[in-house]
Amino acid sequence: MSAQSLRELTERLGVDIDPETLRLALTHRSYAFEQGGIPTNERLEFLGDSVLQLVSTESLFYDNPQLPEGRLAKMRAAVVNTKALAQIARRTGIGQFLLLGKGEESTGGRDKDSILADTVEALIGSAYVSCGREAAFALVHRLIDDMLVQAVTLGAGMDYKTTLQEAAADLALGTVTYELTAAGPDHARVFTAVALLGEREWGSGAGSSKKGAEAQAAKAAVGAIRAQFPDYRRP
């Protein structure tokens, strides 16, 4: 990986991680194995996970003094999970910088949720090692603060299907169901879901799986509910 690429990534992250540590954070075990067993990013991932847990816990604790432990734990889980971290990685374009083995490269490793999420944690760990606690904490805030706000606003967090179930029950809007359709060849199937509360359509979404399409439809429906009931907030 070129020095220019490393500089580009540090600019995107907003933290000046030294090149050697940054490269290590991007080194997936598949690449390390093919290079004769060089170090991987897994130790940095371990450290970054702890930093991420602490920052998210601290933020939720101090910013939401009225909420009980159970709600705080759910909101943290909505942000500190593989799917949410992979979204952060895609938003930042981290996939293009990964050092992957040929096998992972050929099977779409640059867009796998697990690899992307692990790399986000490794990058947080690398910021801690290279730049210190304050810089690492600031990086975490830049990466997750918007998602923490959403988690608080939506109650059940980023699990929009659960959030939709809660809102439908709280507001007596009817039973949540999904209507699914599919189009395209088997290898590139696209599913479309419509979220219904009772008999009324509240949102639709598409995805490469039924679950993904339903999640997008639920997200749209939650947005529609928030627009129609601006004062609603789950107790």
Side-chain angles (χ1 to χ4, degrees), residues 22-217:
L22 181 57
R23 183 180 177 88
L24 179 59
L26 299 167
T27 302
H28 186 258
R29 61 178 176 269
S30 61
Y31 180 86
F33 176 78
E34 289 185 1
Q35 299 301 311
I38 63 174
T40 74
N41 64 2
E42 291 174 355
R43 280 174 53 85
L44 289 174
E45 175 195 336
F46 168 78
L47 175 60
D49 174 65
S50 296
V51 175
L52 178 60
Q53 292 280 351
L54 176 57
V55 174
S56 58
T57 300
E58 185 180 76
S59 293
L60 289 167
F61 179 83
Y62 287 111
D63 292 346
N64 303 279
Q66 78 285 4
L67 295 181
E69 177 272 339
R71 284 288 307 283
L72 294 174
K74 285 184 179 180
M75 289 189 290
R76 182 181 61 192
V79 175
V80 185
N81 66 66
T82 298
K83 182 177 179 180
L85 294 178
Q87 290 176 355
I88 290 171
R90 293 189 181 97
R91 188 175 70 222
T92 316
I94 288 170
Q96 73 183 80
F97 300 99
L98 293 172
L99 294 172
L100 298 176
K102 294 178 181 177
E104 284 292 354
E105 188 77 66
S106 65
T107 56
R110 292 187 185 279
D111 196 46
K112 286 184 179 178
D113 282 0
S114 59
I115 293 177
L116 290 173
D118 290 348
T119 305
V120 169
E121 292 178 338
L123 288 167
I124 293 169
S126 72
Y128 192 98
V129 168
S130 179
C131 306
R133 177 189 176 99
E134 288 189 12
F137 277 33
L139 171 61
V140 173
H141 280 295
R142 287 194 295 276
L143 294 176
I144 72 167
D145 275 359
D146 287 348
M147 302 176 87
L148 287 174
V149 171
Q150 288 187 55
V152 173
T153 301
L154 297 177
M158 311 289 266
D159 181 356
Y160 285 99
K161 293 182 71 175
T162 302
T163 301
L164 182 58
Q165 291 280 2
E166 292 176 345
D170 291 344
L171 297 169
L173 296 175
T175 302
V176 179
T177 57
Y178 296 91
E179 290 184 351
L180 278 162
T181 57
D186 290 342
H187 68 279
R189 207 78 163 155
V190 176
F191 295 90
T192 300
V194 175
L196 302 171
L197 277 64
E199 297 183 355
R200 177 179 169 182
E201 177 182 333
W202 282 81
S204 62
S208 58
S209 67
K210 294 178 181 179
K211 184 177 179 180
E214 289 180 353
Q216 291 301 312

